[in-house]
Short mmCIF file of all heavy atoms in Angstrom, two decimals:
data_model
loop_
_atom_site.label_atom_id
_atom_site.label_comp_id
_atom_site.label_asym_id
_atom_site.label_seq_id
_atom_site.Cartn_x
_atom_site.Cartn_y
_atom_site.Cartn_z
N PHE A 664 53.90 74.26 52.50
CA PHE A 664 53.69 75.63 52.02
C PHE A 664 53.21 75.62 50.58
O PHE A 664 53.13 74.57 49.93
CB PHE A 664 54.96 76.46 52.19
CG PHE A 664 56.12 76.03 51.34
CD1 PHE A 664 56.45 76.73 50.17
CD2 PHE A 664 56.90 74.94 51.67
CE1 PHE A 664 57.52 76.35 49.37
CE2 PHE A 664 57.98 74.55 50.87
CZ PHE A 664 58.28 75.25 49.73
N GLU A 665 52.91 76.81 50.09
CA GLU A 665 52.50 77.00 48.70
C GLU A 665 53.15 78.27 48.17
O GLU A 665 53.79 79.04 48.92
CB GLU A 665 50.96 77.14 48.60
CG GLU A 665 50.25 75.81 48.45
CD GLU A 665 50.74 75.01 47.24
OE1 GLU A 665 51.03 75.62 46.19
OE2 GLU A 665 50.84 73.79 47.34
N GLY A 666 53.01 78.51 46.88
CA GLY A 666 53.52 79.74 46.28
C GLY A 666 52.64 80.07 45.08
O GLY A 666 52.40 79.22 44.24
N ASN A 685 46.33 75.72 43.99
CA ASN A 685 47.26 75.79 45.13
C ASN A 685 46.57 75.31 46.41
O ASN A 685 47.17 74.61 47.23
CB ASN A 685 47.78 77.22 45.33
CG ASN A 685 48.64 77.67 44.17
OD1 ASN A 685 48.15 78.28 43.23
ND2 ASN A 685 49.91 77.33 44.20
N ARG A 688 46.40 71.54 46.22
CA ARG A 688 47.70 70.89 46.42
C ARG A 688 48.11 70.98 47.89
O ARG A 688 48.67 70.04 48.46
CB ARG A 688 48.77 71.52 45.52
CG ARG A 688 50.10 70.77 45.59
CD ARG A 688 51.08 71.23 44.53
NE ARG A 688 51.44 72.63 44.70
CZ ARG A 688 52.11 73.34 43.81
NH1 ARG A 688 52.52 72.78 42.69
NH2 ARG A 688 52.41 74.61 44.04
N TYR A 731 54.17 88.00 45.14
CA TYR A 731 54.25 86.57 45.41
C TYR A 731 53.59 86.28 46.75
O TYR A 731 53.91 86.93 47.75
CB TYR A 731 55.72 86.15 45.44
CG TYR A 731 55.97 84.68 45.71
CD1 TYR A 731 55.80 83.74 44.70
CD2 TYR A 731 56.38 84.23 46.96
CE1 TYR A 731 56.03 82.39 44.93
CE2 TYR A 731 56.62 82.89 47.21
CZ TYR A 731 56.44 81.98 46.19
OH TYR A 731 56.68 80.65 46.42
N ARG A 780 66.46 64.23 45.40
CA ARG A 780 65.61 65.24 46.03
C ARG A 780 64.59 64.59 46.96
O ARG A 780 64.23 65.13 47.99
CB ARG A 780 64.91 66.04 44.94
CG ARG A 780 63.87 66.98 45.44
CD ARG A 780 63.13 67.66 44.30
NE ARG A 780 61.94 68.26 44.83
CZ ARG A 780 60.78 67.64 44.95
NH1 ARG A 780 60.64 66.41 44.52
NH2 ARG A 780 59.74 68.26 45.49
N GLY A 787 58.01 63.45 47.79
CA GLY A 787 58.36 64.31 46.67
C GLY A 787 57.19 65.04 46.03
O GLY A 787 57.33 66.14 45.52
N LYS A 790 54.33 69.45 48.89
CA LYS A 790 55.18 70.65 49.03
C LYS A 790 55.50 70.84 50.51
O LYS A 790 54.95 71.70 51.18
CB LYS A 790 54.45 71.86 48.43
CG LYS A 790 55.40 72.96 47.98
CD LYS A 790 54.71 73.90 47.02
CE LYS A 790 55.49 75.18 46.82
NZ LYS A 790 56.81 74.99 46.22
N TYR A 795 62.83 70.62 50.82
CA TYR A 795 63.62 71.81 50.45
C TYR A 795 64.88 71.92 51.30
O TYR A 795 65.92 72.33 50.81
CB TYR A 795 62.73 73.06 50.53
CG TYR A 795 61.61 72.95 49.52
CD1 TYR A 795 60.46 72.22 49.80
CD2 TYR A 795 61.75 73.48 48.25
CE1 TYR A 795 59.47 72.04 48.85
CE2 TYR A 795 60.76 73.31 47.29
CZ TYR A 795 59.63 72.58 47.60
OH TYR A 795 58.66 72.39 46.64
N GLU A 826 63.27 66.86 38.45
CA GLU A 826 62.99 68.27 38.74
C GLU A 826 64.20 69.13 38.37
O GLU A 826 65.33 68.66 38.34
CB GLU A 826 62.74 68.46 40.23
CG GLU A 826 61.51 67.74 40.75
CD GLU A 826 60.30 68.65 40.89
OE1 GLU A 826 60.25 69.73 40.26
OE2 GLU A 826 59.40 68.28 41.65
N VAL A 827 63.93 70.40 38.11
CA VAL A 827 64.99 71.38 37.85
C VAL A 827 64.94 72.37 39.01
O VAL A 827 64.18 73.33 38.99
CB VAL A 827 64.74 72.12 36.52
CG1 VAL A 827 65.91 73.03 36.19
CG2 VAL A 827 64.49 71.13 35.40
N GLY A 828 65.72 72.10 40.05
CA GLY A 828 65.66 72.93 41.26
C GLY A 828 64.23 72.91 41.77
O GLY A 828 63.64 71.85 41.97
N SER A 829 63.63 74.11 41.96
CA SER A 829 62.24 74.19 42.40
C SER A 829 61.32 74.42 41.22
O SER A 829 60.45 75.30 41.26
CB SER A 829 62.08 75.32 43.42
OG SER A 829 62.81 75.01 44.56
N ALA A 830 61.50 73.67 40.18
CA ALA A 830 60.67 73.81 38.98
C ALA A 830 60.60 72.46 38.27
O ALA A 830 61.46 71.61 38.48
CB ALA A 830 61.27 74.87 38.05
N ASN A 831 59.59 72.29 37.45
CA ASN A 831 59.47 71.07 36.64
C ASN A 831 60.21 71.26 35.32
O ASN A 831 60.41 72.38 34.85
CB ASN A 831 57.99 70.75 36.35
CG ASN A 831 57.26 70.04 37.50
OD1 ASN A 831 56.12 69.68 37.36
ND2 ASN A 831 57.92 69.84 38.65
N ILE A 849 57.76 63.66 41.75
CA ILE A 849 57.86 65.05 41.28
C ILE A 849 56.74 65.87 41.90
O ILE A 849 55.62 65.37 42.05
CB ILE A 849 57.71 65.07 39.73
CG1 ILE A 849 58.93 64.42 39.07
CG2 ILE A 849 57.52 66.49 39.22
CD1 ILE A 849 58.82 64.34 37.56
N LEU A 850 57.02 67.13 42.24
CA LEU A 850 55.93 67.99 42.69
C LEU A 850 55.04 68.32 41.49
O LEU A 850 55.54 68.82 40.48
CB LEU A 850 56.46 69.31 43.29
CG LEU A 850 55.32 70.11 43.93
CD1 LEU A 850 55.01 69.61 45.33
CD2 LEU A 850 55.61 71.59 43.95
N PRO A 851 53.73 68.03 41.56
CA PRO A 851 52.85 68.33 40.41
C PRO A 851 52.71 69.85 40.25
O PRO A 851 51.96 70.50 40.97
CB PRO A 851 51.52 67.68 40.80
CG PRO A 851 51.79 66.85 42.02
CD PRO A 851 53.00 67.43 42.68
N SER A 852 53.46 70.38 39.32
CA SER A 852 53.51 71.83 39.10
C SER A 852 52.24 72.33 38.42
O SER A 852 51.83 71.80 37.39
CB SER A 852 54.73 72.15 38.23
OG SER A 852 54.56 73.37 37.54
N ILE A 853 51.66 73.36 38.99
CA ILE A 853 50.45 73.96 38.41
C ILE A 853 50.80 74.62 37.08
O ILE A 853 50.05 74.56 36.11
CB ILE A 853 49.83 74.94 39.41
CG1 ILE A 853 49.34 74.16 40.64
CG2 ILE A 853 48.69 75.75 38.77
CD1 ILE A 853 49.17 74.96 41.89
N THR A 854 51.98 75.20 37.00
CA THR A 854 52.45 75.80 35.74
C THR A 854 52.59 74.72 34.67
O THR A 854 52.19 74.90 33.52
CB THR A 854 53.81 76.49 35.96
OG1 THR A 854 53.75 77.26 37.16
CG2 THR A 854 54.18 77.37 34.79
N LYS A 855 53.19 73.58 35.05
CA LYS A 855 53.39 72.47 34.11
C LYS A 855 52.07 71.98 33.55
O LYS A 855 51.91 71.80 32.33
CB LYS A 855 54.14 71.34 34.81
CG LYS A 855 54.64 70.24 33.92
CD LYS A 855 53.76 69.00 33.91
CE LYS A 855 53.77 68.20 35.16
NZ LYS A 855 54.98 67.41 35.37
N CYS A 889 59.82 75.14 34.49
CA CYS A 889 58.58 75.89 34.66
C CYS A 889 58.08 75.79 36.09
O CYS A 889 58.21 74.76 36.74
CB CYS A 889 57.52 75.42 33.68
SG CYS A 889 57.00 73.71 33.92
N GLY A 890 57.54 76.90 36.56
CA GLY A 890 57.00 76.96 37.92
C GLY A 890 56.50 78.37 38.19
O GLY A 890 56.73 79.28 37.38
N THR A 891 55.83 78.55 39.31
CA THR A 891 55.31 79.88 39.65
C THR A 891 56.45 80.89 39.73
O THR A 891 56.36 81.99 39.18
CB THR A 891 54.58 79.82 41.01
OG1 THR A 891 53.50 78.90 40.86
CG2 THR A 891 54.06 81.17 41.43
N ALA A 892 57.51 80.52 40.45
CA ALA A 892 58.64 81.44 40.60
C ALA A 892 59.46 81.49 39.31
O ALA A 892 59.81 82.57 38.82
CB ALA A 892 59.51 81.00 41.77
C1 PLP B 389 60.08 71.25 43.69
C2 PLP B 389 59.17 72.09 42.88
N1 PLP B 389 58.86 71.68 41.64
C3 PLP B 389 58.03 72.40 40.85
C4 PLP B 389 57.49 73.60 41.27
C5 PLP B 389 56.59 74.37 40.37
O1 PLP B 389 55.25 74.26 40.78
P1 PLP B 389 54.20 75.40 40.45
O2 PLP B 389 54.15 75.52 38.98
O3 PLP B 389 52.91 74.90 41.00
O4 PLP B 389 54.69 76.63 41.09
C6 PLP B 389 57.79 74.06 42.55
C7 PLP B 389 57.23 75.32 43.04
O5 PLP B 389 56.16 75.33 43.58
C8 PLP B 389 58.65 73.29 43.38
O6 PLP B 389 58.96 73.71 44.60
#
Side-chain angles (χ1 to χ4, degrees):
F664 66 102
E665 272 303 323
N685 294 93
R688 186 170 63 190
Y731 180 78
R780 172 185 165 272
K790 205 162 165 63
Y795 297 82
E826 296 260 21
V827 186
S829 295
N831 279 184
I849 291 177
L850 187 82
S852 156
I853 294 159
T854 314
K855 190 260 290 285
C889 64
T891 299

